Amino acid sequence: MAEYLASIFGTEKDKVNCSFYFKIGACRHGDRCSRLHNKPTFSQEVFTEMEEKYGEVEEMNVCDNLGDHLVGNVYVKFRREEDAEKAVMDLNNRWFNAQPIHAELSPVTDFREACCRQYEMGECTRGGFCNFMHLKPISRELRRELYGRRRKKHRSRSRSRERRSRSKDRRRGDRERRKSRDRERSGRF
């Protein structure tokens, strides 16, 4: 039975899922459609592929907007500019969901400024047609898994040495401040 259901998933024989939405990502019936529209959430596969092929991903945002200029947009911020340039060149030769990918470098460095604050508070009256980014939510567990994996990978002895030397510098700085305070109290500079 499971094999049969898997074989008809997203086809016109599927009475539960909308085949039209599955094929092109839109349906003329919209929210009134009698079948389910399976909208993807934050895509773990995209994140993983970006990091494995091009370099360390600092941040990835997937838009949930419906406006033509934002629908389907995915913003990936790489740690290094060279990685971003390589990703743009490679991705412009690829297709997704039977459509070409249009990748370009973006001047945005702080995505918090591009996001709709009202949407984040659940108060945006413009809905999916808002001109600010409405981001697809990502669970804490997935965030920890994706971004936490990188922290484990980059921890090294040099970082712990760096912390030790910083704490020595802090102690040295504290000693210097105490000495100068004592000098001020005693009238010596």
Side-chain angles (χ1 to χ4, degrees):
M1 180 66 162
E3 286 179 36
Y4 172 72
L5 291 175
S7 70
I8 66 165
F9 180 79
T11 66
E12 291 181 30
K13 292 180 183 176
D14 188 348
K15 300 296 178 200
V16 177
N17 301 292
C18 179
S19 62
F20 198 71
Y21 187 85
F22 183 73
K23 289 176 188 168
I24 67 163
C27 173
R28 65 184 172 140
H29 300 294
D31 292 335
R32 295 184 307 269
C33 184
S34 61
R35 296 179 183 179
L36 289 177
H37 294 172
N38 292 309
K39 297 179 181 175
T41 57
F42 184 93
S43 180
Q44 182 176 357
E45 293 81 25
V46 173
F47 184 97
T48 305
E49 181 180 338
M50 293 293 122
E51 213 165 54
E52 287 174 357
K53 281 189 172 180
Y54 307 114
E56 187 176 343
V57 173
E58 280 189 2
E59 187 177 351
M60 182 171 129
N61 296 304
V62 180
C63 286
D64 205 11
N65 300 61
L66 299 172
D68 288 339
H69 64 296
L70 288 173
V71 70
N73 286 7
V74 176
Y75 296 88
V76 180
K77 182 177 178 183
F78 291 92
R79 182 166 299 284
R80 296 178 33 224
E81 272 187 51
E82 303 83 43
D83 297 339
E85 289 171 359
K86 184 177 185 322
V88 167
M89 288 175 39
D90 285 358
L91 291 171
N92 276 318
N93 296 319
R94 292 197 39 197
W95 292 66
F96 178 77
N97 205 19
Q99 295 181 358
I101 294 176
H102 299 287
E104 59 186 56
L105 295 175
S106 171
V108 178
T109 56
D110 187 358
F111 287 96
R112 291 174 299 192
E113 292 295 317
C115 294
C116 177
R117 287 188 178 73
Q118 293 169 335
Y119 176 76
E120 290 171 354
M121 298 178 76
E123 301 172 356
C124 184
T125 57
R126 295 179 205 98
F129 294 99
C130 180
N131 287 323
F132 288 95
M133 289 175 21
H134 290 190
L135 301 180
K136 286 193 182 284
I138 175 174
S139 69
R140 284 184 182 170
E141 294 79 31
L142 183 56
R143 183 176 302 281
R144 232 178 271 130
E145 180 183 330
L146 296 174
Y147 293 100
R149 175 180 51 185
R150 176 177 55 234
R151 284 191 197 114
K152 290 176 188 171
K153 192 185 338 177
H154 290 296
R155 282 192 181 151
S156 67
R157 289 181 182 161
S158 62
R159 181 170 276 180
S160 60
R161 281 187 207 132
E162 185 181 305
R163 280 194 194 115
R164 272 188 250 136
S165 66
R166 261 193 262 143
S167 62
K168 283 180 186 175
D169 291 344
R170 233 182 270 132
R171 279 181 273 170
R172 216 176 282 135
D174 290 344
R175 245 185 272 134
E176 294 297 321
R177 277 193 290 278
R178 269 189 256 120
K179 282 181 184 177
S180 69
R181 202 175 336 125
D182 292 343
R183 276 190 224 120
E184 287 174 10
R185 287 184 188 150
S186 66
R188 288 184 318 195
F189 292 86

